[in-house]
């Protein structure tokens, strides 16, 4: 299941899925992540890439998305590292550290395998590191 609020993103993803021969295996859902309620323990992998919600929404969103991971499955959160210029535009509270995100996962349910800043080649916007959390649900 691929979810995005933007139909353009879903259309592009559908093309990539078709190119990979996965059309029958992927469903697409246009929804607002701020209110979408995932089915509990339904997915082996739940990923959230470059979501930068305000802190109040993030505190509710991380556990809600993680609740969709089946036992033995993986939760992967990737966000841009703090960037002063973007923080000035978007707001400081939109940048979460990996430690902040990982702290929202119940240690009785989750084994956090990665939680930290990961360098990468700079992209067109100058981002050169990401905050990454990878956790496996017990």
């Amino acid at each position: 299941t691929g979810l995005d609020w933007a139909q353009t993103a879903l259309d592009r993803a559908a093309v990539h899925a078709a190119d990979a021969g996965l059309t029958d295996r992927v469903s697409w859902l246009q929804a607002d992540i701020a209110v979408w309620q995932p089915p509990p323990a339904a997915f082996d992998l739940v990923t959230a890439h470059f979501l930068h919600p305000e802190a109040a929404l993030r505190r509710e969103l991380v556990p809600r998305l993680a609740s969709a991971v089946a036992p033995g499955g993986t939760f992967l959160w990737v966000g841009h590292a703090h960037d002063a210029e973007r923080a000035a535009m978007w707001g400081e509270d939109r940048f979460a550290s990996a430690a902040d995100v990982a702290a929202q996962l119940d240690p009785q349910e989750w084994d956090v395998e990665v939680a930290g800043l990961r360098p990468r080649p700079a992209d067109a916007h100058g981002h050169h590191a990401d905050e990454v959390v990878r956790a496996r649900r017990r």
Side-chain angles (χ1 to χ4, degrees):
T1 301
L3 179 137
D4 203 295
W5 63 271
Q7 188 60 50
T8 300
L10 296 171
D11 293 344
R12 288 178 182 166
V15 168
H16 291 293
D19 289 347
L22 301 173
T23 305
D24 319 3
R25 299 180 59 201
V26 181
S27 61
W28 305 103
L29 177 63
Q30 184 178 14
D32 181 349
I33 197 76
V35 296
W36 179 69
Q37 184 61 48
F43 302 105
D44 292 328
L45 173 65
V46 172
T47 69
H49 283 71
F50 307 116
L51 295 175
H52 293 286
E54 293 175 346
L57 175 57
R58 187 175 53 252
R59 283 189 294 274
E60 183 272 325
L61 182 61
V62 169
R64 181 162 40 93
L65 292 178
S67 76
V69 177
T74 298
F75 177 71
L76 177 63
W77 178 280
V78 179
H80 293 304
H82 184 272
D83 174 283
E85 183 180 333
R86 283 187 170 69
M89 288 187 314
W90 299 348
E92 283 289 332
D93 71 338
R94 291 189 178 260
F95 290 88
S97 71
D100 291 340
V101 172
Q104 295 179 31
L105 301 174
D106 181 350
Q108 298 299 316
E109 274 189 71
W110 293 94
D111 292 319
V112 176
E113 299 168 337
V114 173
L117 194 62
R118 294 293 188 256
R120 65 173 167 88
D123 64 15
H125 304 289
H127 295 117
H128 58 275
D130 298 320
E131 296 284 354
V132 177
V133 175
R134 185 182 72 220
R136 182 157 319 273
R137 192 171 199 173
R138 292 186 184 142

